[in-house]
Amino acid sequence: MKKTKALTVLSVCVLLACAAVFLLTAGDRPFKDLDAAEIASADVHLTPPDKTVQITDTEELAEYLKDIVIYREDSSYTEYDGQGVTFTLTMQDGTQIEAAPYQPFFILNGVGYKTSYEPCEALSNYANRLLNAEDA
């Protein structure tokens, strides 16, 4: 009887621990419902080379943003070095959103979050392709 009770308690503890790990690692997709038609205008600023590029294809931008996954808030991105890429979106309702992929972080309106690497890297690469196309 004691062995069965101990096994039941242990099983419940393992399940609770698994649930806690899942909840702590589950990500959020802040742009999952973004429709390109909601974006009135957009640009991206890259530093270096300290240039801003107007984005004319908001469909492609929206697709990249939909893939972004953020996790827990983390302000340690300020300790990292690298190219700064900041997308500024002006929405149809007049609000502005600043989004900056900065692997392994994503900065959304000035708040840093841990992020999934691949979607964030794809967004940074997209910004550099836009810069290269404008320079060509």
Side-chain angles (χ1 to χ4, degrees):
M1 183 75 164
K2 280 186 176 183
K3 200 172 193 179
T4 305
K5 190 174 184 179
L7 190 55
T8 302
V9 169
L10 181 62
S11 297
V12 169
C13 288
V14 168
L15 285 173
L16 288 174
C18 288
V21 168
F22 174 75
L23 290 174
L24 290 174
T25 59
D28 183 33
R29 293 178 51 215
F31 298 104
K32 70 179 178 204
D33 298 323
L34 179 65
D35 184 351
E38 296 176 274
I39 303 172
S41 66
D43 63 52
V44 60
H45 185 81
L46 296 95
T47 306
D50 197 24
K51 282 191 161 187
T52 300
V53 178
Q54 282 298 123
I55 299 172
T56 55
D57 184 0
T58 58
E59 282 285 336
E60 188 174 6
L61 173 60
E63 289 304 312
Y64 282 110
L65 288 171
K66 286 179 185 181
D67 291 338
I68 295 295
V69 178
I70 59 174
Y71 300 102
R72 64 180 166 75
E73 193 173 315
D74 188 332
S75 62
S76 65
Y77 69 89
T78 59
E79 300 168 15
Y80 283 71
D81 289 330
Q83 182 184 40
V85 174
T86 303
F87 291 88
T88 303
L89 287 70
T90 302
M91 308 308 283
Q92 292 292 351
D93 66 4
T95 59
Q96 277 199 331
I97 298 171
E98 283 195 357
Y102 199 62
Q103 302 83 311
F105 303 97
F106 187 77
I107 300 110
L108 183 58
N109 294 328
V111 179
Y113 299 90
K114 283 291 197 169
T115 189
S116 284
Y117 184 83
E118 291 81 10
C120 204
E121 179 70 14
L123 189 57
S124 291
N125 289 337
Y126 168 66
N128 279 288
R129 283 194 315 275
L130 290 171
L131 176 65
N132 292 337
E134 183 173 274
D135 287 346

